[in-house]
Amino acid sequence: ELGSVQTPTPVAPAPNHLHAQTTSLESAESSAGLTLLERLEDICIDQGLSGLAGRLDDMVGFVAMDLAAFEAEFAQLPRRPQRVGRAATHLLDVGGKRLRPLCLALASRVGSGFDQHVLDLAVAVELVHSATLLHDDVVDYADHRRGKPTARSVYGNAASIFAGDWLLIEALRRVRRAGHPQLLGGLLDIIEEMIFAESLQLENRGRLSMNRETYFKVAEGKTASVFRWALEAGGVAGGLATAETKALAEFGQQLGITFQAVDDLLDLTGDPDTTGKDLFTDLREGKMTLPLIFALERETEARAIVSAVLDIPEHEPVPKDLARQVIDLLRRTDAVADTLKLARRHSQRAIEALNSVPDGAARRALATVAEAIVDRDL
Amino acid sequence: ELGSVQTPTPVAPAPNHLHAQTTSLESAESSAGLTLLERLEDICIDQGLSGLAGRLDDMVGFVAMDLAAFEAEFAQLPRRPQRVGRAATHLLDVGGKRLRPLCLALASRVGSGFDQHVLDLAVAVELVHSATLLHDDVVDYADHRRGKPTARSVYGNAASIFAGDWLLIEALRRVRRAGHPQLLGGLLDIIEEMIFAESLQLENRGRLSMNRETYFKVAEGKTASVFRWALEAGGVAGGLATAETKALAEFGQQLGITFQAVDDLLDLTGDPDTTGKDLFTDLREGKMTLPLIFALERETEARAIVSAVLDIPEHEPVPKDLARQVIDLLRRTDAVADTLKLARRHSQRAIEALNSVPDGAARRALATVAEAIVDRDL
């Protein structure tokens, strides 16, 4: 059944259906999730993956509905006039890819479907993600995120710290409200894992000798863990059996690693206008991303090039010549190709994990997300 | 029955009993809670309140046991080698007054008594308090706390932020484990309240026009709220009726305001060797404490004096002459006397709230804490 529909028929929703749904929503922010889907679809079409595009189109009906419900709920989060409230709102209003809530909603649809509890869990996972961004931006002295000034640069570090605390509390409150006590316990464990992964990353900042093992510990702890929880939460709320929920969690774990590897690539080869993030941001913060680790493993000259970038004072641009050296290094050591290959391998593992869950439109949609995420450019 | 026992008999535990209990514990830190009791007792004796001292002595048997159990459990919190783990351990090892767990334990003893659930809740409330200190120290650029370098000055701001996040998660995990779902919901609400009180304080930093109303909002939100929760948690875990638990919560609320008012006084008139905190720390951070608000309300010259202190560059000491001007100002405007009077009034309200809970050693002990807290010097 996979990859069946190639051309839209009058009965099947036309591609424009997407846009129609978007404009019918009240808030401009509401389009964030659909934009991701649209972009995924564009990527599929660009690459001649019309089967994939067909499937995306196929799934768009209920996904659009779920994401619209998510955006409506998210827009209703309490707006508080204090500086801390404004710092939180500032980040939330910038929008985001909504990838974690999207996956959570899809996981619930593998089971009994989307309801108020799932909505609470979807909002919670996006809030946890947002809370970590608010704290990370303070830790990283980040000035821009998603193409806008960071909350900390507008409202100060203190407000950004407290705003992160607040969103975390709001997230936990919603998970509590959604019932399923094991999900609350699981989320507390996941947040602890994230904190220690951030710590490990912090300790290895600027260490050119950081190895793959440490890299995967960080990526699993800070990125994959949240995807794992999101998929598990969707499965549990959808009433799936334990084995099926575990399979979904494994999908989330593998998707998270895929996501992180592609994120690493975008830091070095992405288009800042699309990603909303300056090129080499991670690198200049001393974060040893996967392509860099590959390059450093493979060529002794790499150390000098990477060190030169790290030595550039904070607010000065990277000289064009040096930027070109980095790109050349990554290409000739196959660091880009191999990072992409690794991402694709984990994406395949994610899709394989789905073999243990009931087939249907939701499962196919998850598989599509896992495939398309490799080629994303934002 | 209140204030009955005046001199210890051979049957009642002798004052030295306290010290005997302390030294039998493995960790030197374990004495923190008892030290508070000892100091409270000393204060009572100094002031000729031998009745009060007698009552403290009276209650020391089970309080010492509960606090020893608390310290043993607290010492077993996971020690993690990462920088974040060390930052957390750094703060926890410095010890503290353990006033919140003490009150929580006493509240439980008004009911069915101290057990594993109460222990988890007592550890949780101290962890929440510790988490806020770790974040506050970053926000306040604080270099010293409890007479030692702050975690942020040893391990950095980032580690201090993540360590605070971690302790919060560990606290929530313990509250979850203790059963009583309403306590978890209540704690999430309290933490939110604390965050917005911190925000309000932040916005009013250095504003000499901050009024009493705002002061009480901040004090209730950031300090009294945690005491309120601690007392409520003890009551709920001790199986008390709703009305009794509410009375205990009111006791906590009033005790918290008392505590904050005395804290404010100690910032201006305390002995740094005893408090472990430099004199004028709050003032120099621009925090409008209660005695300052009184002075600013009552004398127009006050603005110039306070502004002069705020203008001193961060790492320079306050000139002796200026310090004397501040003290003189506080004395001649009755700011010190009136702050103390206000603290005593709230302490009395706390004690009155106890009328609605069953009488016994635990209730008497709580009343004693409320009386003695006014005259504390640490």
Side-chain angles (χ1 to χ4, degrees):
Chain A
E1 205 181 330
L2 274 162
S4 53
V5 187
Q6 290 253 352
T7 34
T9 69
V11 182
N16 283 2
H17 167 80
L18 252 170
H19 306 276
Q21 280 273 0
T22 309
T23 50
S24 75
L25 297 170
E26 281 182 51
S27 153
E29 299 307 323
S30 325
S31 63
L34 290 179
T35 302
L36 173 70
L37 285 186
E38 289 173 85
R39 295 198 66 91
L40 292 178
E41 194 171 31
D42 288 348
I43 292 164
C44 300
I45 293 166
D46 282 355
Q47 308 199 339
L49 303 170
S50 54
L52 199 57
R55 277 180 282 145
L56 274 165
D57 192 47
D58 192 32
M59 80 190 196
V60 122
F62 61 79
V63 168
M65 230 169 59
D66 294 353
L67 282 173
F70 169 84
E71 294 296 343
E73 181 77 15
F74 209 66
Q76 276 174 38
L77 282 168
R79 311 256 144 175
R80 305 205 30 176
Q82 293 90 336
R83 202 198 292 188
V84 168
R86 281 180 284 140
T89 300
H90 175 87
L91 175 76
L92 299 181
D93 281 353
V94 175
K97 291 185 282 289
R98 313 303 196 204
L99 190 56
R100 293 158 192 82
L102 167 68
C103 289
L104 198 151
L106 287 174
S108 77
R109 287 202 175 266
V110 171
S112 58
F114 195 80
D115 62 9
Q116 187 59 44
H117 285 336
V118 175
L119 186 53
D120 268 332
L121 294 168
V123 169
V125 76
E126 189 71 2
L127 285 174
V128 168
H129 174 56
S130 306
T132 63
L133 297 183
L134 285 164
H135 284 189
D136 286 356
D137 284 343
V138 175
V139 167
D140 296 338
Y141 307 99
D143 294 325
H144 288 89
R145 167 163 311 271
R146 297 171 183 165
K148 300 271 170 62
T150 52
R152 74 153 205 114
S153 65
V154 178
Y155 297 99
N157 284 334
S160 193
I161 295 170
F162 290 137
D165 292 348
W166 180 44
L167 295 188
L168 190 60
I169 293 302
E170 184 62 29
L172 294 170
R173 191 181 276 151
R174 281 172 186 263
V175 174
R176 205 175 89 82
R177 194 165 80 183
H180 308 296
Q182 81 272 33
L183 290 180
L184 183 57
L187 183 58
L188 294 175
D189 291 345
I190 289 291
I191 296 171
E192 182 177 45
E193 217 179 310
M194 292 171 79
I195 293 164
F196 282 93
E198 293 281 359
S199 177
L200 189 60
Q201 184 169 60
L202 202 62
E203 286 162 54
N204 282 281
R205 200 167 273 208
R207 276 195 202 162
L208 305 191
S209 60
M210 190 178 114
N211 58 25
R212 287 189 205 195
E213 196 195 333
T214 306
Y215 172 83
F216 282 107
K217 265 194 200 162
V218 171
E220 283 169 18
K222 81 167 189 171
T223 309
S225 62
V226 193
F227 280 97
R228 193 171 73 226
W229 183 85
L231 274 288
E232 188 191 333
V236 168
L240 292 179
T242 308
E244 293 166 346
T245 300
K246 271 196 178 162
L248 284 175
E250 173 64 14
F251 172 89
Q253 169 83 6
Q254 298 298 335
L255 187 75
I257 296 171
T258 310
F259 181 85
Q260 186 59 58
V262 176
D263 228 46
D264 288 2
L265 267 183
L266 291 175
D267 186 60
L268 298 163
T269 65
D271 172 5
D273 287 339
T274 310
T275 61
K277 200 181 134 195
D278 290 338
L279 218 50
F280 295 177
T281 298
D282 294 337
L283 167 52
R284 297 186 67 178
E285 286 168 4
K287 289 179 187 162
M288 291 301 116
T289 51
L290 193 57
L292 289 178
I293 291 173
F294 284 143
L296 286 159
E297 277 175 2
R298 291 167 187 181
E299 198 182 289
T300 47
E301 207 197 322
R303 290 186 76 90
I305 298 174
V306 174
S307 294
V309 178
L310 291 175
D311 286 346
I312 302 166
E314 202 185 325
H315 287 286
E316 283 177 30
V318 180
K320 277 213 174 120
D321 177 54
L322 186 54
R324 180 173 307 276
Q325 282 186 57
V326 172
I327 301 301
D328 286 348
L329 168 71
L330 295 171
R331 302 241 177 257
R332 74 172 173 266
T333 55
D334 287 328
V336 170
D338 285 353
T339 299
L340 211 51
K341 211 182 277 175
L342 183 138
R344 213 173 292 285
R345 200 158 63 235
H346 284 279
S347 155
Q348 278 314 115
R349 284 193 202 155
I351 293 168
E352 280 159 28
L354 294 177
N355 287 334
S356 313
V357 310
D359 195 11
R363 183 178 115 170
R364 289 197 302 280
L366 284 172
T368 306
V369 169
E371 278 184 63
I373 214 77
V374 178
D375 300 301
R376 73 193 169 96
D377 56 3
L378 91 168
Chain B
E1 204 180 329
L2 274 161
S4 53
V5 186
Q6 289 254 355
T7 34
T9 69
V11 182
N16 283 1
H17 167 80
L18 253 171
H19 306 274
Q21 281 272 1
T22 310
T23 49
S24 76
L25 298 169
E26 281 181 50
S27 151
E29 299 308 322
S30 325
S31 62
L34 290 178
T35 302
L36 172 70
L37 284 187
E38 289 174 86
R39 296 198 66 92
L40 292 178
E41 194 170 32
D42 288 348
I43 292 165
C44 299
I45 292 166
D46 281 355
Q47 309 200 338
L49 303 171
S50 54
L52 199 57
R55 277 179 281 144
L56 274 165
D57 191 46
D58 192 30
M59 81 191 195
V60 123
F62 61 79
V63 168
M65 230 169 58
D66 295 353
L67 282 172
F70 168 84
E71 293 296 343
E73 182 76 15
F74 209 66
Q76 275 174 38
L77 283 169
R79 311 256 143 173
R80 307 209 24 180
Q82 293 90 334
R83 203 198 291 189
V84 168
R86 280 179 285 138
T89 301
H90 175 87
L91 175 76
L92 299 181
D93 281 355
V94 174
K97 291 186 281 288
R98 313 304 195 204
L99 190 56
R100 293 157 192 81
L102 167 68
C103 289
L104 198 151
L106 287 173
S108 78
R109 286 202 176 267
V110 171
S112 59
F114 194 82
D115 62 10
Q116 185 60 42
H117 284 337
V118 175
L119 186 53
D120 268 332
L121 294 167
V123 169
V125 76
E126 189 71 4
L127 285 174
V128 168
H129 174 56
S130 306
T132 62
L133 298 182
L134 286 164
H135 285 187
D136 286 355
D137 284 344
V138 175
V139 167
D140 296 337
Y141 307 99
D143 294 326
H144 288 89
R145 167 159 315 268
R146 296 171 184 164
K148 301 269 169 64
T150 52
R152 75 152 205 117
S153 65
V154 179
Y155 297 99
N157 284 336
S160 193
I161 295 170
F162 290 136
D165 293 348
W166 180 44
L167 295 188
L168 190 61
I169 293 301
E170 183 62 28
L172 294 169
R173 191 181 276 150
R174 280 173 186 262
V175 174
R176 205 173 89 81
R177 194 165 80 185
H180 308 296
Q182 81 270 36
L183 290 180
L184 183 57
L187 183 56
L188 293 175
D189 291 345
I190 290 292
I191 295 171
E192 183 177 45
E193 217 180 310
M194 292 171 78
I195 292 164
F196 282 93
E198 293 281 358
S199 178
L200 190 60
Q201 184 169 61
L202 201 62
E203 286 162 56
N204 282 282
R205 202 169 273 207
R207 276 195 202 161
L208 305 191
S209 59
M210 190 178 116
N211 59 23
R212 287 190 205 195
E213 196 195 333
T214 307
Y215 172 83
F216 282 107
K217 265 195 200 163
V218 171
E220 282 168 19
K222 79 166 193 173
T223 309
S225 62
V226 193
F227 280 98
R228 193 171 73 225
W229 183 85
L231 274 288
E232 187 191 335
V236 168
L240 292 179
T242 309
E244 294 167 345
T245 300
K246 270 197 179 162
L248 284 176
E250 173 64 13
F251 172 89
Q253 170 84 6
Q254 298 298 335
L255 186 75
I257 296 170
T258 310
F259 182 84
Q260 185 59 58
V262 176
D263 228 46
D264 288 1
L265 267 183
L266 291 175
D267 186 59
L268 298 163
T269 65
D271 172 4
D273 288 339
T274 310
T275 60
K277 201 180 135 199
D278 289 339
L279 217 49
F280 295 176
T281 298
D282 293 337
L283 168 53
R284 298 186 65 180
E285 286 168 2
K287 289 179 188 160
M288 292 300 115
T289 51
L290 193 57
L292 289 179
I293 291 173
F294 284 143
L296 285 159
E297 278 175 2
R298 292 169 185 179
E299 198 181 289
T300 46
E301 206 198 325
R303 290 186 76 90
I305 298 174
V306 174
S307 294
V309 178
L310 291 176
D311 286 345
I312 302 166
E314 202 186 325
H315 287 286
E316 281 177 30
V318 180
K320 279 217 172 111
D321 177 53
L322 185 54
R324 179 172 307 275
Q325 282 186 57
V326 173
I327 300 301
D328 286 348
L329 168 72
L330 295 171
R331 301 242 176 255
R332 74 173 172 263
T333 55
D334 286 329
V336 170
D338 285 353
T339 301
L340 211 51
K341 211 182 276 176
L342 183 139
R344 213 174 292 284
R345 199 158 62 235
H346 283 279
S347 155
Q348 278 314 114
R349 284 193 203 155
I351 293 167
E352 279 158 29
L354 293 177
N355 287 334
S356 312
V357 310
D359 196 11
R363 182 178 116 169
R364 289 197 301 278
L366 283 171
T368 306
V369 169
E371 278 185 61
I373 215 76
V374 179
D375 300 302
R376 75 194 168 96
D377 57 2
L378 92 168

